[in-house]
Amino acid sequence: MIKTENYSLRAHNTFGIEARARSFAEYESVAELRMLLDEPFLHIGAGSNLLFTKDYDGMVLHSAIRGVEVIAAGGDEVTVRVGAAEVFDDFVACCVERGWHGLENLSLIPGEIGAAAVQNIGAYGVEISACIEAVDAVEVATGRELTIPAADCRYSYRSSIFKSSRRGELVVTHVRFRLSRSFTPDLSYAALRRQVEADGLLPGSVDAQYLRHAVIKMREAKLPDPRVTGSAGSFFINPVVPAEKAEALQHICPDMPAYAVEYGVKLSAAWLIDRCGLKGFSIGGAAVYERQPLVLVNRDGTATGADVLALSHHVQREVYARFGVEIVPEVNIF
Ligand code: FAD
Ligand code: NAP
């Protein structure tokens, strides 16, 4: 176990924002984790969904639990238990290599395995929860180890119990994935189907390697590379509004994208922000990314957390003033 006092978090958040933690501790096992649960803490992964707006006056915890272990295999399926500190996209690459399928559409999403299960990461029509069998966690109050079946994680759009009702109460140590040994591409997302067509392929000839690389190519064309330009990906969650509200907006803006979901109509936050003319708008070193306005960036590396927060408030106000729609951050703000 490593514990350091007065620790810079700049390398631990993909916004690349300077903030200090009173202490920072990294543990390699459940036993080591239990020894750290006595004082209040903030648990982070790779910091790709975090915004620090001030120093953190407490202990920041990070897992160093690694490992990819096959725990069951039979018929068409394989169950794999993965340590929370494994890099999510390395695991996707490993799955494609070994012929374990289901995660291809989630290629290149930054972050670690533990947070991926907390966030219920999603892209191109797939959510990680579709491949999760169970999540292993330690209960902070008791130190007990729990294996929580996916059905009890209450997965929904970019959410789970780890983000909502049990926020801060559970530390994810491992995630158990159930993957398929046969490959059926999920091309339900229109932009992905268009890419397949543009590459001159028929859906039937799409293999897992191709699908992974098509997704990577699309993401690289549109999203900032966190190693070059700081961001936390999409800053806001796409809003879900009542059907009547969506209809009223479409009456005024017939070209507005809208997707029926079970609890209302999902709108594209990127489209709403774009229509407010905010692409490229900046406050201090923080800017609305030109190629994808749902992403707020640390344009030249000089942004403070306060700049990003002020920009996010401005964007929220403009969208509300123009469309009467509230957009809320996906990013965890501290
Ligand atoms: P962090 O940002 O460090 O933490 C995220 C949350 O998880 C925090 O609340 C933290 O407290 C909690 N947490 C972390 N580890 C644990 C643990 N072991 N136990 C309990 N709680 C924990 N997201 C998508 O869904 N889809 C995308 O397509 C996507 N694209 C992105 C593109 C870019 C360029 C960037 C920068 C981000 C993108 N994201 C996307 C957001 C981000 O990658 C995900 O939310 C990711 O899962 C965060 O992982 P992390 O390890 O960086 O977690
Ligand atoms: P896009 O294709 O330009 O689409 C804009 C938005 O419309 C997306 O956010 C998507 O919602 C929604 N959408 C498109 N087709 C849909 C459909 N058939 N049904 C329901 N919703 C649909 O999006 P993009 O910016 O290039 O991103 C591509 C994918 O990567 C998206 O799935 C996006 O979520 C994901 N991504 C996420 C982050 C993040 O940080 N969370 C960052 C970058 C990319 P969904 O977001 O619900 O898919």
Side-chain angles (χ1 to χ4, degrees):
M1 187 202 307
I2 304 168
K3 194 168 179 189
T4 317
E5 304 300 314
N6 186 22
Y7 186 85
S8 170
L9 297 168
R10 189 191 280 272
H12 291 272
N13 71 98
T14 56
F15 259 122
I17 279 169
E18 176 56 10
R20 300 191 82 80
R22 187 150 50 79
S23 65
F24 179 86
E26 203 164 58
Y27 58 88
E28 286 183 15
S29 64
V30 168
E32 284 189 357
L33 168 62
R34 283 206 185 101
M35 290 191 263
L36 292 162
L37 297 179
D38 287 343
E39 59 177 300
F41 62 83
L42 164 65
H43 200 297
I44 63 168
S48 62
N49 204 244
L50 303 179
L51 173 66
F52 290 112
T53 57
K54 51 184 179 302
D55 290 344
Y56 187 74
D57 185 22
M59 179 173 63
V60 170
L61 268 192
H62 184 239
S63 170
I65 297 180
R66 309 291 299 260
V68 174
E69 182 195 357
V70 174
I71 53 171
D76 191 35
E77 286 180 348
V78 57
T79 306
V80 188
R81 184 172 183 256
V82 187
E86 291 290 340
V87 172
F88 174 73
D89 191 52
D90 290 352
F91 177 60
V92 179
C94 157
C95 290
V96 169
E97 198 69 31
R98 297 197 194 177
W100 303 335
H101 301 298
L103 297 172
E104 294 82 1
N105 294 35
L106 304 180
S107 292
L108 207 65
I109 298 182
E112 296 170 1
I113 287 286
V118 169
Q119 303 277 109
N120 190 18
I121 56 170
Y124 300 101
V126 172
E127 289 181 350
I128 195 174
S129 50
C131 295
I132 291 180
E133 183 177 270
V135 174
D136 293 350
V138 168
E139 194 173 45
V140 176
T142 60
R144 265 193 319 158
E145 273 187 271
L146 309 173
T147 293
I148 307 168
D152 294 342
C153 295
R154 296 217 208 102
Y155 280 120
S156 62
Y157 184 56
R158 305 288 193 269
S159 192
S160 67
I161 50 164
F162 311 103
K163 272 192 92 171
S164 54
S165 57
R166 302 215 63 189
R167 192 182 188 100
E169 294 177 12
L170 298 164
V171 173
V172 175
T173 59
H174 299 84
V175 181
R176 298 171 188 230
F177 291 94
R178 190 186 295 138
L179 300 161
S180 171
R181 290 209 253 217
S182 58
F183 176 66
T184 310
D186 185 331
L187 301 177
S188 56
Y189 202 87
L192 197 48
R193 278 199 308 278
R194 284 197 296 274
Q195 183 65 45
V196 170
E197 276 165 30
D199 288 339
L201 291 179
L202 293 169
S205 55
V206 165
D207 65 22
Q209 282 286 0
Y210 164 82
L211 187 54
R212 170 164 167 79
H213 288 107
V215 167
I216 289 174
K217 188 159 85 175
M218 290 168 74
R219 294 180 68 95
E220 285 179 340
K222 199 164 176 183
L223 294 169
D225 177 346
R227 290 166 305 185
V228 180
T229 306
S231 87
S234 303
F235 198 90
F236 302 100
I237 301 178
N238 287 318
V240 174
V241 298
E244 309 78 62
K245 172 76 183 170
E247 265 170 44
L249 287 173
Q250 280 190 310
H251 191 67
I252 309 162
C253 314
D255 58 335
M256 183 189 75
Y259 307 95
V261 288
E262 59 183 281
Y263 43 96
V265 176
K266 186 176 74 179
L267 307 181
S268 163
W271 188 92
L272 299 173
I273 297 167
D274 191 9
R275 279 305 160 104
C276 291
L278 289 169
K279 270 185 183 168
F281 181 84
S282 64
I283 293 181
V288 177
Y289 194 53
E290 290 277 359
R291 273 185 268 165
Q292 166 47 300
L294 195 47
V295 178
L296 305 186
V297 292
N298 182 354
R299 200 172 34 177
D300 51 6
T302 63
T304 61
D307 290 342
V308 180
L309 192 63
L311 180 63
S312 76
H313 289 157
H314 179 78
V315 170
Q316 284 175 306
R317 277 195 302 270
E318 291 290 299
V319 168
Y320 191 76
R322 172 113 193 230
F323 298 104
V325 174
E326 226 176 294
I327 52 172
V328 298
E330 176 176 327
V331 172
N332 300 279
I333 300 172
F334 297 99

